Amino acid sequence: MIEQQPGKHAIKKPKRGIVKNIIAAIALGVTIGAVVFVSLYAWNTLNSKSDEPQQDVKVTITNGMTGTEIGNLLQNKKVIKNALIFRVMIRKQGVESDFKPGEYTLKTNTDYDQVIKVLTEGPPVRYVDVTIPEGWTIKQISERIAAHTGINREEYLQLVTAGQTGIDYPFLKDNGAPTKNLEGYLYPQTYRVEKDTTAEEMVNMQLGEFQKQTANLNWDAVNALDRTPYQILIIASLIERETRVDSEKPIVASVIYNRLKINMRLQIDATVQYALPEWKEQLTYDDLKVESPYNTYKYAGLPPGPICNPSYSSIEAALNPTTTKYLYYVLDKDNSGRHVFTNSYNEFLNAKAQYQAGQREQKLLQKQDEYQQDYQQQQMQQPADTTDLPLN
């Protein structure tokens, strides 16, 4: 008997064993597909290098990718050894259409079953959607961003009020602003934010959205309006806070421009609210006396900066005001949120009186409804009075 010598011939024995197993499987009636799978899997196992160090690789699975495309991608990235074995396994398990699109961090030389498990479970949650409503201030935005992301509120505030490190946009250089404060430029939108996003990246995302969304506006109109782009943004922020009705915004803009033209104080409540430490449901006469350059009851002209971050429609209205002679407006008495616009103060007072009367009537009707509901509830809770009922 010849003794088996170690060395290059040592691997022949398992290979002959594989061939014998295949022949035996065929003899037992096993399908050729199964035989091929067993052969490939065994060959891959024999030729794998389990001692090879694993490395992290980024893999992106997109919508519509087939099992073949995914297998080839994984093989090219060295996550798996053989794309054919991968395809056979996912078809055998019936998971070819179960893979979730997204970005994955996988390791090279990973077991097939482990890769399949990860791809069917889906990528880890790496993003969060943060909605910045129209008309919000820097303070409100900073609180929401801090609450929904890993971004530090104070770091974000420092960046948008004074820092601007790494932030470079042409519209910030040529806007005529006397400040580095970014109030007004943090475009209201829903942002998909990666969990490890920095404050600087977040701000750049918002400024980039502002640039993208407002690029098609007629900014050349600033010359005809005798305003700087920054002043247009200030006016847009006033419009944003004065009305939510888009069709009214150019008319509100006209009132602002008409008052500015005759050096009439704007007297916009929202500017006083911006000057106060906290938002108030209703301003008092003392509030209207607050010492601040934002107090348009006390100082004529525009406030020194935007009082919120306005929507596209408000910026558009500031650039394209309707031509009117209106100097006043007040909420309509029908509680629709619309306004009544007037040329004279007397007309304004009349419209205001109608609105206030409508509000008093509305409150009276509301109290009557509440009284009626309370009365009905009390009647239901009281026992029935049987004093006058006939005896049986």
Side-chain angles (χ1 to χ4, degrees):
M1 185 173 94
I2 299 175
E3 184 178 353
Q4 176 69 46
Q5 297 294 324
K8 64 180 181 179
H9 299 294
I11 63 172
K12 286 185 177 180
K13 185 174 182 181
K15 283 187 175 179
R16 285 197 295 270
I18 294 170
V19 173
K20 289 179 180 179
N21 287 338
I22 294 172
I23 294 171
I26 293 173
L28 291 171
V30 179
T31 64
I32 295 298
V35 171
V36 171
F37 170 71
V38 172
S39 303
L40 286 169
Y41 191 84
W43 179 88
N44 187 75
T45 302
L46 289 170
N47 289 277
S48 63
K49 296 179 180 179
S50 58
D51 58 342
E52 185 176 330
Q54 292 183 308
Q55 296 179 345
D56 288 341
V57 291
K58 300 287 186 182
V59 176
T60 301
I61 307 298
T62 59
N63 278 316
M65 285 185 74
T66 64
T68 299
E69 292 171 331
I70 294 173
N72 291 337
L73 174 63
L74 295 174
Q75 180 177 312
N76 291 337
K77 293 281 189 176
K78 298 183 179 180
V79 174
I80 59 173
K81 292 300 247 180
N82 191 286
L84 181 56
I85 290 178
F86 176 81
R87 294 201 300 272
V88 173
M89 289 186 70
I90 62 176
R91 288 173 185 172
K92 184 171 180 288
Q93 296 179 24
V95 296
E96 188 172 6
S97 61
D98 294 341
F99 295 143
K100 308 294 192 303
E103 294 183 1
Y104 295 83
T105 300
L106 303 175
K107 291 186 179 296
T108 56
N109 298 322
T110 302
D111 178 75
Y112 293 97
D113 287 324
Q114 179 61 28
V115 174
I116 293 171
K117 181 176 183 292
V118 170
L119 295 184
T120 52
E121 289 179 350
V125 178
R126 299 183 59 193
Y127 297 90
V128 60
D129 289 336
V130 181
T131 299
I132 308 302
E134 299 170 347
W136 271 27
T137 65
I138 278 178
K139 180 181 177 183
Q140 292 172 303
I141 293 172
S142 67
E143 290 171 351
R144 172 157 292 188
I145 287 176
H148 290 81
T149 72
I151 297 173
N152 180 271
R153 177 177 176 272
E154 295 304 320
E155 183 181 354
Y156 178 87
L157 278 174
Q158 173 65 21
L159 198 60
V160 296
T161 56
Q164 295 194 34
T165 304
I167 297 173
D168 185 19
Y169 289 86
F171 59 79
L172 293 177
K173 293 180 179 179
D174 306 326
N175 62 1
T179 176
K180 292 183 178 180
N181 192 303
L182 295 179
E183 186 84 271
Y185 289 104
L186 304 176
Y187 196 80
Q189 184 67 279
T190 296
Y191 296 90
R192 175 151 288 189
V193 183
E194 197 167 354
K195 284 195 172 181
D196 56 357
T197 295
T198 64
E200 186 174 304
E201 289 170 338
M202 183 71 223
V203 175
N204 273 297
M205 196 184 307
Q206 293 172 282
L207 294 177
E209 192 67 18
F210 177 91
Q211 179 173 261
K212 173 185 173 183
Q213 297 293 339
T214 63
N216 66 335
L217 288 173
N218 182 26
W219 288 100
D220 292 337
V222 298
N223 297 322
L225 294 168
D226 195 26
R227 298 290 163 183
T228 66
Y230 189 64
Q231 289 174 327
I232 293 296
L233 204 59
I234 295 173
I235 293 171
S237 73
L238 302 179
I239 296 169
E240 183 70 37
R241 296 308 304 270
E242 286 297 278
T243 181
R244 295 289 178 166
V245 182
D246 285 350
S247 61
E248 283 191 350
K249 289 181 177 182
I251 308 175
V252 173
S254 75
V255 174
I256 293 173
Y257 282 110
N258 290 341
R259 286 196 169 208
L260 290 172
K261 189 180 296 183
I262 61 176
N263 201 33
M264 182 179 179
R265 294 178 187 177
L266 296 179
Q267 295 183 319
I268 293 176
D269 289 357
T271 62
V272 178
Q273 292 277 17
Y274 191 80
L276 296 175
E278 298 293 338
W279 178 269
K280 300 182 72 172
E281 288 295 326
Q282 189 170 359
L283 294 175
T284 65
Y285 284 109
D286 286 339
D287 292 330
L288 301 183
K289 299 175 185 177
V290 63
E291 180 53 49
S292 169
Y294 284 91
N295 186 350
T296 56
Y297 275 86
K298 195 168 186 177
Y299 297 100
L302 292 172
I307 61 171
C308 70
N309 294 273
S311 61
Y312 177 93
S313 60
S314 293
I315 302 173
E316 184 179 36
L319 285 166
N320 301 279
T322 301
T323 301
T324 74
K325 294 183 179 180
Y326 295 140
L327 291 173
Y328 307 90
Y329 54 83
V330 65
L331 283 169
D332 199 329
K333 61 181 180 180
D334 63 2
N335 289 317
S336 64
R338 295 181 176 276
H339 292 80
V340 175
F341 296 87
T342 69
N343 298 333
S344 71
Y345 187 61
N346 286 335
E347 291 174 341
F348 163 75
L349 290 178
N350 182 54
K352 184 178 180 180
Q354 291 184 44
Y355 170 73
Q356 291 174 337
Q359 290 298 103
R360 287 193 295 270
E361 183 179 353
Q362 185 69 24
K363 288 180 180 179
L364 179 61
L365 290 174
Q366 184 177 352
K367 287 183 178 180
Q368 288 176 345
D369 287 341
E370 291 174 356
Y371 174 80
Q372 185 67 21
Q373 290 174 6
D374 289 343
Y375 177 77
Q376 290 176 352
Q377 188 174 7
Q378 291 174 7
Q379 290 296 106
M380 292 175 63
Q381 293 174 351
Q382 291 179 0
D385 185 1
T386 59
T387 305
D388 297 328
L389 293 179
L391 299 175
N392 290 332

